[in-house]
Amino acid sequence: MTTMQKQYGVFSLPVIVGALGFFVDVFDLLLFSIIRKPSLESLHLSPEDVLSKGELIISVQMIGLTLGGIIWGIMGDKKGRLSVLFGSIILYSLANIANGMVQTVPQYVLMRFLAGVGLAGELGASITLVSEMLPKEKRGLGATVITVVGVCGAIVAYFVYQYFADWRLCFYIGGGMGLVLLVLRANVMESGMYAEVKNAGITRGSLVMLFNKKERALRYLKGVLIGLPVWYAIGILVTFSDKFGREFGIEGVNPGQAIMYQYIGIGLGDLSAGLLSNFLKSRKKALYTFFCILSLFIILYFMQGVNGGTQEGMYLVCTGLGFGAGFSVLYITMSAEQFGTNLRASTAISIPNVVRGILPLIILLHRGLRTVTGNYITGGWLTGIVIMALAVWAAYHTKESFGKDMNFIEE
C-alpha cells in the first residue's frame, strides 16, 4: 500500500488537539485519586470505608477503562479514529458533570464506571492518529508532545481542587473542558493511511483476528505487560501514599499532593523518554533505562520504612516514581507501531486501557500478599517485584519498533 497525504509537523493541529484532549483525559481520570478522601468523607463514610470504598471505586473505574478500550478500539478501526475522539469525549464529559451531583456510593461507582468507559478512547486514538499522519522519524516526538501536555492535567487538577476546595465543582470543570474541546476536534482530519485501508475493503477491528494467531496474541500480551509498572506506581504506591506513609511512620501525607508531584515527574519522564528513544534510535534501549530508574525509586520508596522518612521525602520519592514511570509514552507508541493499520486502533487504544484495567488485579495481588505476610509494606514491595519481572520479560521478547514502516496490514 502507498498513501499520498499531507505531511504534518510535531506541533501541527492534530498533535496539539490530541495533546489538549489527553490533558482533559488525565485531569478527569486522576481527579478521583486527588479528591478521593474529601469526597467520600463528605458522604459520611467512616475512615475504614473511605479506604475500602476508595479501592472499590478506583477498581470499577479501571474496569470501565478496560471495557471502553475494547469498545473504542474496535470502533476506531471500523468507523475511524475521529469517531472515537468525538464519542469518547462526549461520554466522559457528561459522566463527570453527573459525578458532581452524586449523593451515594452506588451513584459514585456508576458515574466513575461510565467516565472510565469514555476516558478509554482518548490517548490511544490520538497517538494512533498522530502516528499515522506524521513522518516515521517524528511520530515518537509527536506522541511525546501529547503525553507531556497531557500529564499536566493531573497537576492542574490538584491546583484546581486546592483553589476551589469543592470536589463537586472540580468534576463540573473537568466535564466542561471536555465539551469545549469538541469545538477544536471539528477541525481535525481523518488519517489518510486509515482511509486507504477502509476503502480497500480489508477486515478491520476484529477481536477474533487479534487473537486467532498465537504470535499476534503474544504481541498483544507483551504490550500489556510492559505497561504494568506505570499503574503499579500510580495506583498503589502514590494513590495510597497516605496509608504507606503511616506504615512508614510518616504522618500527614496528602495523596492528592503526592499525585501532583508524581505527575510533574511523569511529565519530565515522558519528555526525556521520547527524546532519549529518538537519540538512541531505539524504543527498547530507552525502555530499559526507565525500568532501571523506576526500580531505583521503588527501592527508595520502601527504604523510608527502614531509615525513617518525612513528608517532604515522600513527595520527592513520588516525583522520582513519576519520572521513572515516564516510559508510558514509549509503550503506547510501541503499541501503535507493532500492529497493522487494520488493527492499530484496536491495539493502541485497548492496550493502555487494559493496563489501567489490570489495576484492580494489582490491588488484589497486594491485598493477598499483605494478608499472607501479615504486613502492608511487605505486600507492597513483593507486588512490585512481580510486576517489574513481568514487564522486563515482555520487553525482552518484544521486537524493536523504532523507525518501522507502519503502512502495513495484518493478514
Side-chain angles (χ1 to χ4, degrees):
M1 290 192 299
T2 59
T3 58
M4 295 296 293
Q5 63 171 344
K6 177 181 177 180
Q7 293 293 299
Y8 290 88
V10 173
F11 296 102
S12 58
L13 183 63
V15 178
I16 298 303
V17 173
L20 293 175
F22 188 42
F23 175 93
V24 177
D25 177 287
V26 174
F27 181 102
D28 290 339
L29 179 62
L30 272 296
L31 184 59
F32 171 70
S33 294
I34 293 170
I35 54 87
R36 171 179 60 90
K37 289 183 70 175
S39 65
L40 293 176
E41 286 170 352
S42 74
L43 299 180
H44 310 296
L45 299 183
S46 66
E48 293 77 15
D49 283 342
V50 167
L51 176 61
S52 63
K53 299 303 182 186
E55 288 181 333
L56 170 64
I57 293 172
I58 196 171
S59 296
V60 169
Q61 176 178 275
M62 296 307 174
I63 291 171
L65 283 161
T66 304
L67 179 61
I70 296 170
I71 293 171
W72 297 120
I74 293 172
M75 183 177 292
D77 280 326
K78 288 187 176 296
K79 301 296 183 182
R81 289 40 168 150
L82 289 181
S83 67
V84 175
L85 293 177
F86 279 103
S88 65
I89 200 168
I90 291 173
L91 178 56
Y92 75 69
S93 296
L94 295 178
N96 275 289
I97 291 172
N99 208 152
M101 305 176 186
V102 301
Q103 300 297 326
T104 66
V105 170
Q107 292 173 354
Y108 211 145
V109 170
L110 177 60
M111 288 306 106
R112 292 324 297 161
F113 173 77
L114 293 176
V117 172
L119 290 163
E122 187 65 47
L123 178 58
S126 294
I127 288 186
T128 299
L129 186 65
V130 166
S131 296
E132 292 178 342
M133 298 178 85
L134 266 61
K136 61 184 180 181
E137 65 273 10
K138 294 182 180 180
R139 64 191 181 219
L141 296 177
T144 299
V145 172
I146 290 175
T147 52
V148 170
V149 173
V151 297
C152 293
I155 301 170
V156 172
Y158 172 77
F159 283 110
V160 166
Y161 176 68
Q162 291 299 306
Y163 182 80
F164 292 105
D166 184 339
W167 65 271
R168 296 183 186 275
L169 180 59
C170 290
F171 277 123
Y172 297 148
I173 291 172
M177 286 195 300
L179 295 177
V180 170
L181 187 62
L182 282 173
V183 178
L184 287 176
R185 284 275 157 82
N187 297 313
V188 178
M189 302 295 291
E190 182 61 87
S191 158
M193 194 179 294
Y194 169 77
E196 182 175 324
V197 170
K198 182 179 180 180
N199 295 332
I202 296 169
T203 301
R204 311 183 308 277
S206 169
L207 281 179
V208 173
M209 189 175 180
L210 187 59
F211 296 105
N212 65 357
K213 288 187 178 181
K214 181 180 179 181
E215 182 276 332
R216 194 153 50 214
L218 283 174
R219 214 188 315 160
Y220 185 91
L221 175 62
K222 287 180 285 189
V224 171
L225 294 178
I226 289 172
L228 293 184
V230 174
W231 277 92
Y232 164 69
I234 296 172
I236 300 292
L237 301 185
V238 180
T239 295
F240 298 100
S241 56
D242 54 334
K243 172 64 174 175
F244 277 106
R246 287 194 297 273
E247 295 292 328
F248 295 149
I250 307 171
E251 295 294 336
V253 175
N254 182 337
Q257 196 167 346
I259 289 168
M260 185 271 291
Y261 281 116
Q262 184 195 33
Y263 268 82
I264 291 175
I266 288 178
L268 295 172
D270 277 330
L271 176 61
S272 301
L275 294 176
L276 181 63
S277 69
N278 226 53
F279 174 76
L280 297 175
K281 300 294 186 288
S282 170
R283 306 274 186 243
K284 290 184 67 172
K285 290 178 182 178
L287 187 63
Y288 290 140
T289 300
F290 276 78
F291 277 172
C292 292
I293 294 171
L294 180 58
S295 297
L296 172 62
F297 279 99
I298 290 173
I299 293 170
L300 292 175
Y301 184 92
F302 287 103
M303 286 295 292
Q304 294 176 107
V306 177
N307 299 326
T310 63
Q311 287 184 38
E312 292 76 14
M314 174 65 85
Y315 296 143
L316 182 61
V317 172
C318 286
T319 305
L321 286 172
F323 185 84
F327 67 84
S328 56
V329 64
L330 297 175
Y331 90 84
I332 296 171
T333 303
M334 288 169 69
S335 298
E337 293 172 332
Q338 293 285 337
F339 293 85
T341 307
N342 54 325
L343 289 180
R344 185 166 297 128
S346 297
T347 53
I349 294 174
S350 65
I351 284 177
N353 288 296
V354 170
V355 171
R356 290 163 163 177
I358 290 177
L359 178 57
L361 297 181
I362 299 176
I363 290 174
L364 287 175
L365 176 62
H366 178 220
R367 186 178 297 170
L369 290 173
R370 78 196 191 211
T371 300
V372 170
T373 61
N375 189 288
Y376 195 88
I377 296 174
T378 303
W381 61 258
L382 284 175
T383 301
I385 290 176
V386 173
I387 296 301
M388 289 304 304
L390 289 171
V392 171
W393 174 86
Y396 179 78
H397 292 283
T398 297
K399 293 180 180 179
E400 178 62 67
S401 62
F402 184 91
K404 182 178 180 180
D405 181 12
M406 292 177 63
N407 198 9
F408 67 98
I409 62 172
E410 299 282 347
E411 300 293 344

